[in-house]
Amino acid sequence: MSIPTEPIGSIPRTPALQDALAAHAAGRLETAELTKLQEQATAETLATLAGLGCPVLVDGEQSKPSFVTYPVAGLTTLHPDGAVIPFADGHTRQLPRLTAGPFRYQVRAETYVRDARRHTELPVKQAVIAPSALSLLYPGEGLDGYPREAFLGDLADEAEADIRGCLEAGAHRVQLDFTEGRLSLKLDPSGGVLDDFIALNNEVLGRFDEDQRARIGVHTCPGGDHDSTHSADVDYAGLLPKLFELRAGNFYVQLASEPDPERVLGIIAEHLRPGTRVFVGVTDPIDPRVETPEEVRDRVLLAARHIPADRLGTCDDCGFSPFADDTSTSRELAFAKIRARVEGTALASQALGL
């Protein structure tokens, strides 16, 4: 046995793809040509990760507009003036707003799984957006003829189909991105919104059996966009006990950038359910300095003091480019950090005699 290590999801898009996305948005490039370039970038990303020795690959989200909006790309019942997410450096991201029902995904993540598996025989992981994030699309004032309860029912059905499709397409792991969990405590310190998020996500996760949930995970972090976060100032102690109520077999927890990781590890150890595994973040995508394998090893060994080695894994704190237009981190830097994670995790496995 060795300690498993997995990426979170996004990798900065290739320069050629960045140029193509801009040209397509301006109407200077046909969709078919953009799709071809996205497939080339996906194949290149998978090959590079395999060359770094990654035991589990991701497509780097080269074909996603963002980690959160891919299911609604092309949906005509949206208006751009939805919920605003503020980041610590002052910039914002704005979600679209639903204008009519019924709500249906336009793109399912299983298409990314099938495309990626055409380029590799190694295990492929797929990140999907948690239904709790998409619940923010529904306007606070409601919609005539489409009550919130009907929307949430449709959303749960669509999210279930998204996850199930990835599993059936052969995904090694399906990871729900739940960055809004920590953010919710900033917006509502009472925890009521977080409770609603947990209940909605569990409604979906509860539709899978134990073997399926062993292949499903949940990722939490304080956001990462243009080298800034939206909720790093929120105490993890308010989130983690609720997080481990989610009916998933794996949890991916941002940790490398935490100011007091040992305190967080103590909270994790207290609330971790039997039969679940925690992948702790050992590289920080926002920090421009590349961690050394020895630093990664030491972070894993610290985690192993609190979490049994057979229930421990490693990951990056967050994706390296969750939004397609984020060029704050280069591909070269992302791959260097991933190499350090893979090599450092192997060193920790050796030190622990695994």
Side-chain angles (χ1 to χ4, degrees), residues 91-106:
H91 87 276
T92 62
R93 290 284 185 178
Q94 188 164 23
L95 298 177
R97 170 178 58 86
L98 192 67
T99 60
F103 177 72
R104 298 288 185 268
Y105 281 21
Q106 304 301 292

Side-chain angles (χ1 to χ4, degrees), residues 159-181:
E160 176 194 355
D162 203 32
I163 298 168
R164 198 173 296 281
C166 291
L167 293 174
E168 292 174 353
H172 168 75
R173 196 93 67 201
V174 180
Q175 169 194 290
L176 276 69
D177 286 329
F178 185 47
T179 182
E180 69 279 6

